[in-house]
């Protein structure tokens, strides 16, 4: 899409897009090992279907295969794409390590959380969009602007994901609503709730998050009530709005025809307006 | 060394050399997880010192960091180096999978074994040498010849390693002599022994390899006797000789000054003459 926005045929971007897609799936294969996940997209995870070794090695090869897709570009573009890819791939791995570390920490700050979701999710959105710009041969400034658009949209997307996990419509959400609460995830919602509760109730929430409940549904309801009453829900909605706005502001600085901007604007609005 | 052999300053090859070294260590970190190894170079392995997640993620990042070292080369060389690297890295992963598969198979053939050590070990030697040629800017023919030199030397090296594991001098070998026999590894020596024993004794050896012995030293002695009597020791020595010779023959085709060839010849002889 961004390749087309910058006036080049989208088919030229397919190899770069495949690299991003294979990389994303590499990270899922290895993450599923780390999270000990039995299922992915309704099917057995790789390490479950075969074994740990196969999961590790398949992931390794997928990471390498991702790089190979850049081989179809001329040398200069190959280097630009591979450089951006390497930088981002390391950030995604770092984001995953933060995510793991946060599971056993009770003092994750808002800025730490934002850094984690930026690395784990948002940089890959920015990178995918910037690759489209590199393929189209834009200026570095344009390429950086579209990266920032994707980055901010990625942050907004992940915050929205956290929000929907707790407050989405069970009919349309697809995943179990309240899953993050049951897994004691230190999401933006949780951090904001802790920040805005008085000390006693904050301690009560922390205790709730460190124990396995007899009645999960009751725990979900209690935590959601605290999220509402503390004002954390409103603060999260405001944060989603803030990063979405930032993304659209960057969009306005782009030196491309108005009807091309509209494509990206619509994409962003669809992404943020989703209820699933 | 190969960069110098082709008339360029060796310092230009350092980034490529570091890429190979970091990649090699990436493969050890992930292999140690798969082999459940507690120690590496006398120190705790990464997944033992920290945990499984840290082992997987550190390895992933090391693989990416290896690619980053190529960023210091001009675009054309960057692409040539990264392409060669990706091809080889996939082969090394495939070699590791063969090695794992062979542990539970009793019918590994000579050609399968040679393919496994070629992928797991020899291609990386060939690639390291070819990278030196790429950095020096040789013709593709020269680069391919030095790759073949390294490849054949790598195969000879691994066969020698198998040989020394059983028949090395315990005083100088550094590792436990007979380690492969205790771990029931299907080495070249083992495969040649099975091939050259009569059916009854071959079955006896297979049984010996599928059971945990009460007296490991006795098992090592029995197996080593069979390796000798079957003629497998001699066949292995001949195979080592064959691949070393192949390497030196390739060397002769190289269009470089005689005193440069002597450097590579000496390197090969040192490697193959080693007793440790």
């Amino acid at each position: 899409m961004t390749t087309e926005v910058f006036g080049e045929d989208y088919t030229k971007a397919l190899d770069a897009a495949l690299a991003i897609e294979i990389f994303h799936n590499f990270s899922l294969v290895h993450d599923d090992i780390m999270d000990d996940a039995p299922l992915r997209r309704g099917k057995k995870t790789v390490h479950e279907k075969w074994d740990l070794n196969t999961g590790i090695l398949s992931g390794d090869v997928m990471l390498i295969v991702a790089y190979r897709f850049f081989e179809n570009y001329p040398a200069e573009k190959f280097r630009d794409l591979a450089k951006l890819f390497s930088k981002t791939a390391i950030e995604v791995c770092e984001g995953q390590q933060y995510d793991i570390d946060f599971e056993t920490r009770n003092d994750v700050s808002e800025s730490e959380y934002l850094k984690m979701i930026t690395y784990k999710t948002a940089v890959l959105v920015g990178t995918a969009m910037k690759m489209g710009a590199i393929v189209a041969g834009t200026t570095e400034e344009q390429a950086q602007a579209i990266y920032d658009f994707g980055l901010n949209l990625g942050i907004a997307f992940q915050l929205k994901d956290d929000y929907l996990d707790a407050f989405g419509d069970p009919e349309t959400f697809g995943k179990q609503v309240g899953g993050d609460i049951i897994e004691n995830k230190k999401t933006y919602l949780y951090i904001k709730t802790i920040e805005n509760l008085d000390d006693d109730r904050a301690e009560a929430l922390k205790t709730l998050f460190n124990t396995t409940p007899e009645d999960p549904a009751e725990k979900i309801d209690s935590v959601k009530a605290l999220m509402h009453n503390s004002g954390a829900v409103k603060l999260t909605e405001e944060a989603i709005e803030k990063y979405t706005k930032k993304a659209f502001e960057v969009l306005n600085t782009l030196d491309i025809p108005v009807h091309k901007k509209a494509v990206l604007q619509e994409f962003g609005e669809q992404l943020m307006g989703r209820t699933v």
Side-chain angles (χ1 to χ4, degrees), chain A:
Chain A
M1 192 176 67
T2 56
T3 298
E4 273 199 333
V5 160
F6 289 113
E8 184 56 271
D9 184 6
Y10 80 91
T11 57
K12 297 219 168 137
L14 290 179
D15 284 309
L18 281 166
I20 291 282
E21 188 61 24
I22 300 277
F23 171 78
H24 176 56
N25 283 282
F26 139 77
S27 74
L28 297 181
V29 170
H30 277 191
D31 284 5
D32 283 343
I33 295 172
M34 297 182 227
D35 298 339
D36 209 6
L39 293 174
R40 166 71 64 182
R41 297 171 187 158
K43 293 189 178 172
K44 275 192 183 175
T45 46
V46 176
H47 69 281
E48 277 283 322
K49 178 153 184 179
W50 286 279
D51 51 33
L52 175 68
N53 295 352
T54 308
I56 293 176
L57 273 173
S58 305
D60 291 346
V61 171
M62 287 165 83
L63 174 55
I64 301 161
V65 166
Y67 278 98
R68 299 208 80 174
F69 279 104
F70 302 129
E71 293 174 8
N72 299 318
Y73 294 100
E76 296 283 343
K77 283 191 182 165
F78 176 92
R79 189 179 55 177
D80 291 348
L81 292 167
K83 272 179 86 164
L84 173 60
F85 180 81
S86 291
K87 173 180 164 286
T88 302
I90 289 175
E91 287 169 348
V92 171
C93 290
E94 287 177 353
Q96 168 68 2
Q97 185 63 51
Y98 285 126
D99 199 16
I100 294 168
D101 292 346
F102 290 179
E103 278 175 26
T104 52
R105 277 181 52 193
N106 287 317
D107 60 348
V108 179
S109 70
E110 177 181 349
S111 68
E112 284 180 312
Y113 179 75
L114 287 173
K115 187 176 178 183
M116 187 274 281
I117 62 168
T118 300
Y119 276 27
K120 197 176 168 177
T121 305
V123 294
L124 200 59
V125 183
T127 293
M129 291 195 166
K130 186 171 176 177
M131 282 189 180
I134 292 172
V135 169
T138 70
T139 63
E140 172 57 27
E141 261 182 337
Q142 298 275 76
Q144 192 53 46
I146 200 75
Y147 178 89
D148 291 338
F149 171 70
L151 189 81
N152 284 298
L153 208 59
I155 295 170
F157 175 87
Q158 187 57 51
L159 291 174
K160 178 98 185 194
D161 210 58
D162 292 355
Y163 173 84
L164 289 174
D165 194 275
F167 297 99
D169 181 349
E171 296 291 311
T172 55
F173 183 56
K175 287 190 281 186
Q176 183 202 10
V177 170
D180 285 350
I181 294 172
I182 293 303
E183 286 175 44
N184 303 320
K185 288 233 169 153
K186 316 299 188 321
T187 64
Y188 192 83
L189 265 173
Y190 171 83
I191 292 164
K192 281 294 167 194
T193 306
I194 292 283
E195 267 182 25
N196 289 282
L197 288 177
D198 58 54
D199 288 358
D200 285 357
R201 289 204 296 171
E203 278 312 310
L205 177 55
K206 282 185 192 174
T207 306
L208 205 56
F209 254 55
N210 286 321
T211 48
T212 310
E214 277 181 40
D215 183 351
E218 194 186 308
K219 175 172 169 177
I220 293 172
D221 286 343
S222 308
V223 173
K224 280 170 74 171
L226 287 170
M227 286 171 169
H228 256 303
N229 300 341
S230 63
V233 170
K234 198 164 173 293
L235 290 167
T236 302
E237 286 168 339
E238 283 168 12
I240 294 168
E241 185 63 29
K242 179 182 135 188
Y243 286 101
T244 309
K245 218 175 139 190
K246 261 175 115 169
F248 289 147
E249 277 166 14
V250 178
L251 198 55
N252 281 329
T253 70
L254 275 179
D255 184 24
I256 51 171
V258 174
H259 70 280
K260 301 267 183 182
K261 276 186 200 177
V263 174
L264 293 171
Q265 179 96 23
E266 199 189 330
F267 170 74
E269 277 164 5
Q270 264 183 13
L271 202 64
M272 300 318 302
R274 78 200 165 99
T275 53
V276 290

